[in-house]
């Protein structure tokens, strides 16, 4: 049995052991450092409120599984970035999560938008996002996607292959050269899982700085009068909690800017350091310290530019998870509870890997809290599993839940705003969950639940 403040024993010695405190503070209590809940979330006697709305009430109204997004938290996070990094372009990475309301909030808060497919691009623009504030990414953009980006007048296209440079040059109009960034592999390893480490050699993104491909790409872009080279880009990886890898990227990219100046006589005005800023998923886990990142990265950039006699380029960052991850909460209903021979408790809920594939894909760890009734008893170390037909469909391998957890109970999982719904699948025809926005005590539906009718409409073969 675990007590309420029991400590996990499996954390590596180098990171602080997360405390399995599952719920946010009560009203009037301070928010503990490294809390995974939205800053305004509160624990009441038998519930958790987010944006002033009880999660239990939402679960009853909209049914489960349900995703809840705290608009105030998203906006506060956008503002924190703008405050910490004045004079820097803050570009929200839409792959973390995109819908019309999200695009609108981000636009109103003065951020740009990073898209990585024609779908994200078209959706953002049709929802009213200004194209000139959009940055287009992708290691394999189709000719149609490139044409759409040029036609819509996006601000920047980040070129990622030689083939794309030629294609793009053919698409752009002579009187309106397309601004591009060249994506560089700086040779810096960072990120929570090998699947998301993109700053190193031997992966599919970018032009290697080490092999000379990056300089070749720059030369080719400069040789295309219909393209305007605005600067360099790199993205190291995801869930990076330290500033050091970003400093290493600056140390690698500024000399490249100097080499470009020496060879071509041009000083590139922009440097985009990508995203990857970490957030805590469990109490006490480290997130990227944004003020520290801002201070040290801008100082290092100025220092390196002075050393190489360069004007300081305009900086851009592309946070995705750090804007929307902690604003989201997933709410599930318990369908079954089992106790194994060795005494483990399996708590099966009505969602699973189709709405959150992250534990299965990256071994991601979450916390969970019981809501909907007062639970004063001892906590047990439970495994929260999904309802899909795979033993690997585990949502929270180590959840501190009341020992009397039972079917019908509701469970809330924080940090569900990024890479859940955007990566949700149609597995087992469960239907992707709805998303409800909460703010100032009011709720509104942003995405409705996917129904069997949606599947039937696509099933046109009979
Ligand atoms: N910029 C570029 C070019 C990217 O590729 C990404 C993420 C970002 C920005 C935003 O990264 P963020 O700040 O959200 O870490 N599905 C994985 C994460 C994949 C990230 C892919 N690229 C996960 O759930 O952990």
């Amino acid at each position: 049995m675990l007590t309420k403040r029991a400590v996990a024993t499996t954390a590596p010695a180098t990171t602080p052991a997360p405390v399995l405190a599952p719920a946010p503070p009560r009203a009037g209590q301070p928010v503990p450092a490294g809390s995974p809940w939205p800053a305004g979330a509160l624990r009441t006697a038998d519930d958790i409120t987010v944006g002033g709305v009880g999660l239990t009430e939402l679960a009853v109204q909209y049914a489960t599984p349900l995703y809840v997004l705290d608009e105030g938290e998203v906006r506060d996070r956008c503002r924190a970035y703008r405050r910490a990094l004045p004079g820097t372009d803050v570009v929200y990475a839409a792959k973390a999560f995109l819908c019309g309301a999200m695009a609108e909030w981000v636009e109103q808060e003065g951020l740009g938008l990073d898209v990585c497919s024609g779908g994200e691009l078209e959706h953002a623009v049709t929802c009213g996002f200004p194209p000139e504030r959009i940055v287009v990414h992708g290691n394999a953009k189709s000719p149609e996607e490139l044409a759409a980006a040029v036609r819509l007048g996006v601000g920047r296209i980040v070129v990622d292959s030689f083939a794309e440079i030629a294609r793009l040059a053919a698409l752009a109009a002579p009187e309106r050269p397309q601004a591009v960034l060249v994506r560089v592999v700086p040779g810096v390893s960072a990120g929570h899982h090998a699947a998301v480490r993109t700053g190193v050699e031997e992966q599919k993104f970018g032009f290697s700085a080490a092999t000379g491909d990056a300089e070749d790409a720059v030369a080719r872009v400069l040789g295309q009068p219909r393209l305007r080279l605005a600067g360099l880009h790199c993205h190291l990886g995801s869930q990076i909690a330290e500033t050091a890898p970003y400093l290493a990227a600056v140390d690698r990219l500024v000399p490249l800017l100097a080499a470009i100046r020496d060879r071509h006589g041009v000083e590139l005005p922009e440097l985009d350091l990508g995203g990857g800023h970490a957030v805590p998923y469990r109490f006490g886990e480290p997130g990227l310290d944004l003020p520290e990142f801002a201070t040290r990265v801008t100082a290092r950039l100025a220092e390196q530019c002075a050393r190489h006699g360069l004007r300081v380029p305009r900086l851009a960052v592309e946070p995705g998870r750090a804007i929307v991850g902690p604003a989201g909460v997933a709410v599930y209903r318990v369908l079954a509870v089992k106790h194994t021979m060795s005494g483990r408790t399996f708590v099966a809920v009505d969602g699973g890997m189709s709405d959150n594939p992250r534990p299965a894909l990256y071994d991601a760890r979450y916390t969970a809290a019981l809501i909907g009734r007062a639970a004063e008893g001892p906590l047990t170390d439970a495994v929260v599993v999904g309802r899909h037909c795979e033993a690997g469909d585990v949502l929270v391998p180590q959840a501190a839940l009341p020992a009397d957890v039972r079917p019908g109970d509701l469970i809330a999982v924080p940090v569900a705003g990024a890479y859940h719904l955007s990566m949700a699948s149609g597995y087992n025809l469960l239907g992707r969950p709805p998303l409800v926005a909460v703010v100032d005590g009011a709720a509104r539906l942003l995405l409705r639940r996917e129904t069997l009718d949606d599947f039937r409409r696509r099933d046109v073969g009979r």
Side-chain angles (χ1 to χ4, degrees), residues 93 95 114 183 192 235 238 276 318 320-321 358 362 419 423:
K95 68 206 78 182
D114 143 4
R183 177 155 175 170
H192 73 99
H235 172 74
S238 222
E318 300 174 337
R321 186 191 322 262
R358 299 193 67 259
Y362 319 114
Y419 305 112
M423 294 174 74

Side-chain angles (χ1 to χ4, degrees), residues 77 80-82 84-85 243 277 287-295 317:
R77 288 178 168 270
Y81 267 91
R82 303 265 337 259
L85 287 158
T243 296
H277 306 172
L288 184 79
D289 182 333
L290 181 56
E292 189 217 69
F293 168 90
T295 309
V317 293

Side-chain angles (χ1 to χ4, degrees), residues 237-257:
S238 222
Q239 197 52 2
I240 301 168
E242 308 289 328
T243 296
Y246 295 99
L247 301 179
V250 170
D251 291 348
R252 189 72 191 86
L253 291 177
V254 175
L256 187 55
L257 290 173

